[in-house]
Amino acid sequence: MFSGQNKKEQIIIDAHMHLPVYEGAVLLEEKKEKLLQKLKQNKIAKCVVISDSTLESEIGSMDDCAELFAHTNQVSVVGGISPFIAFAQQFLKLKDYIAQKKLVGIKLFPGFEEYNLSDNSLQPIYEFAENANIPVLFHSGWENSQYAAWEDAAKVLEQYPKLKLVCCHCFYPKISDCLKLTSYPNMFFELSSVADDLSVFDRIKKDIVNLIKTAPDRVIFGSDYGSCNLEQHIQAIAELELDADISDKVFYQNAMKLYQLKEEEL
């Protein structure tokens, strides 16, 4: 948590976290407690935990995470899904969890899995999410970035203009690709993992600031905790020295609006 003279304490929502992974057999409940301890240590008001798209996973399946955090107000859950893995069954479950308010969004993993963001197999997801006003997040950047290029995101938004689409990792390290999508009012950008390598962050932070200033209501803080360093991400974004109103939007207000979180729970 950062603070400074004449500065109020910054409210933070981490909009991209996973259950941590450890060597050996560790119960999901233990991982949950470790994550909650991390929130407390860093004074994180709320967070969004993202499940895997597989049926069994060290970071938790959709079923695992939906049930694990069902009664934890500090944590909201986004459910991962794959067009390749028991899709019909998983899609029915996903819709049921959303109806029960156990999930606040849907996560796709193009790049980790070999399908394009604009693939026709994803149409049922996009149609449902657009009608239900539920955001769809997608993995971008890093290796195999061709599966979720900015052109694919544009195709999806052209077909589903009311869909809230969230670019996790901001096409890392090609942050400037985000600027090609800012004209779409329902395109959101989430900063998870952008400070994973501080030498890279130093090269891309001008692009990050440019993105935030171009779309201040649609850039969201996330750390990718479980894979990346939470404290390092908080510090890196804090040191961008954004105006207080913009900093509040990035660190928590934009996430609250996107995921329809309750202010009284902060």
Side-chain angles (χ1 to χ4, degrees), residues 7-215:
K7 285 188 177 181
K8 66 178 182 179
E9 188 172 83
Q10 179 68 63
I11 298 171
I12 300 175
I13 293 174
D14 189 333
H16 192 127
M17 302 186 81
H18 300 285
L19 289 172
V21 175
Y22 301 100
E23 291 185 9
V26 179
L27 296 175
L28 289 175
E29 279 289 346
E30 294 178 82
K31 295 182 178 185
K32 173 184 175 180
E33 289 307 311
K34 184 69 173 179
L35 183 142
L36 294 176
Q37 289 172 15
K38 201 72 172 176
L39 298 182
K40 185 176 181 180
Q41 290 167 2
N42 290 277
K43 299 182 181 179
I44 306 296
K46 293 181 75 71
C47 79
V48 176
V49 168
I50 300 173
S51 85
D52 210 334
S53 60
T54 58
L55 303 184
E56 294 183 6
S57 172
E58 290 184 301
I59 66 169
S61 67
M62 182 201 306
D63 287 332
D64 291 333
C65 292
E67 297 301 335
L68 192 64
F69 294 104
H71 304 292
T72 308
N73 290 335
Q74 195 176 5
V75 180
S76 298
V77 177
V78 165
I81 192 168
S82 167
F84 301 142
I85 304 172
F87 178 73
Q89 176 188 10
Q90 290 298 97
F91 190 38
L92 286 173
K93 281 187 178 182
L94 184 148
K95 291 190 283 188
D96 188 46
Y97 283 136
I98 288 172
Q100 295 179 57
K101 301 190 182 302
K102 290 183 177 180
L103 297 180
V104 297
I106 303 167
K107 174 72 182 290
L108 301 172
F109 293 88
F112 280 117
E113 300 178 62
E114 293 185 358
Y115 64 84
N116 282 82
L117 185 66
S118 57
D119 193 273
N120 287 337
S121 65
L122 303 174
Q123 287 185 354
I125 293 173
Y126 295 141
E127 289 173 0
F128 167 74
E130 186 178 45
N131 290 330
N133 193 29
I134 294 293
V136 174
L137 292 68
F138 66 92
H139 173 82
S140 75
W142 301 89
E143 298 83 9
N144 299 320
S145 59
Q146 71 273 17
Y147 290 102
W150 72 267
E151 294 94 337
D152 290 296
K155 288 178 184 178
V156 172
L157 290 169
E158 290 288 345
Q159 189 169 359
Y160 305 98
K162 294 182 180 179
L163 173 69
K164 292 178 180 176
L165 195 61
V166 184
C167 178
C168 300
H169 319 306
C170 293
F171 303 111
Y172 181 89
K174 298 180 181 179
I175 309 301
S176 59
D177 280 357
C178 295
L179 296 171
K180 300 168 184 176
L181 295 167
T182 54
S183 61
Y184 294 96
N186 288 322
M187 183 74 229
F188 294 80
F189 309 94
E190 184 233 272
L191 297 170
S192 56
S193 80
V194 299
D196 184 56
D197 183 330
L198 290 179
S199 64
V200 176
F201 183 78
D202 284 341
R203 297 199 301 270
I204 64 176
K205 63 183 178 183
K206 287 184 179 178
D207 289 331
I208 293 171
V209 171
N210 191 16
L211 173 62
I212 292 170
K213 290 183 176 179
T214 302

Side-chain angles (χ1 to χ4, degrees), residues 218-229:
R218 291 180 284 133
V219 180
I220 297 167
F221 175 77
S223 68
D224 207 0
Y225 168 76
S227 299
C228 299
N229 186 297

